[in-house]
Each structure stands twice: as structure tokens, then as C-alpha cells.
Amino acid sequence: MITDQRMATGGGPPSLGLLIDKANLLVQTFATPSLVQLVLRVALAVPFWRSGILKWGGFLRLNDTAVTLFSDEFMLHLPGGPYHFPAPTVMAFLSGSGEIMFPILLVLGLGTRFAGLGLLFMTLIVELTVPDGWPIHLTWAAMALALMAYGPGHISLDHLICRARSHAR
């Protein structure tokens, strides 16, 4: 490491290399992979949760606005379209359910890769519905893919369950 080389050559003010080494160590201390994975899980969960909570008027009861959005407002922008959503009540229910359940799973770190896949699929549908929103949708897709690839990290129920299963063997 640069630090060891500088110390061996003598004293004097810290060199740029030494300062860079210390800065890197400081960043690595705070930005641990598990903390980053936790932040990714929460950051991806929040926008979907906020959207989902607006679709419900009670336990398993959609509000009228949610059904109206899928009936009249939302359109799928596919070649030759745009097209209305098929079965708007079913689509509103599935969307509202996914926007509530997947974020809960993500925050808990339970079934994280599955929840990430679900939100990646939902992001694709949102992109087909609101094509001008691609910058934020790309961010959501990147977060979902990162969680699917690297998992939830140590700060998760998935990790605790895997540890308990390995100790039980």
C-alpha cells in the first residue's frame, strides 16, 4: 500500500498518496456492501410503496381512482398503440398488491431476489405506460437488477434464515 511505502522513506507532511489511502479507507468503512444493499432495498421500495398505498380504500378494497386510472388514463405504449389495459380492475388489483407486498419484502430483506424481480417486471410495465419517465425507470431497473444479482446483504431476514439453516445442518 502507498501508506507503508511513504512511512518507510521518512517523515514529513503526508503525501497525496497517503491522504488518498486514508480517504479510501474511510469510505470503505462507512460504505460496507451490506449497508449499500440495505439502502438499495429501501430506495427501491419507497416509490412503489407510495404509489401502492394510494390505490387502496381499505383492506383488499381498491379505491375508485385506481380502477379509473387503469380504465381511462393509463395506456400501454406498444407498436401500433397506445392500447387500453386489459381487465383494468384486475390490473389495478395486481398493481396495488405488488406495490405493497414487494416493498415490504424488500425492506425486510425477505425473498429479496424474488421481490426485486417483481419490481423489475413492474418497472417494465410502468415504462410501457409512461415512456417519458425512462430516466427514473432506468434507475429503478438498475436497483432491482443489483439486488437480484448481489442479494439482500447481511442486514436482512434472508441472511438470518440462511445462517439458521446452515447451523441446523
Side-chain angles (χ1 to χ4, degrees), residues 120-143:
L120 180 64
F121 179 74
M122 291 184 72
T123 299
L124 174 65
I125 300 301
V126 171
E127 175 58 25
L128 291 174
T129 306
V130 186
D132 292 340
W134 69 265
I136 192 71
H137 304 156
L138 184 61
T139 305
W140 294 344
M143 289 189 287

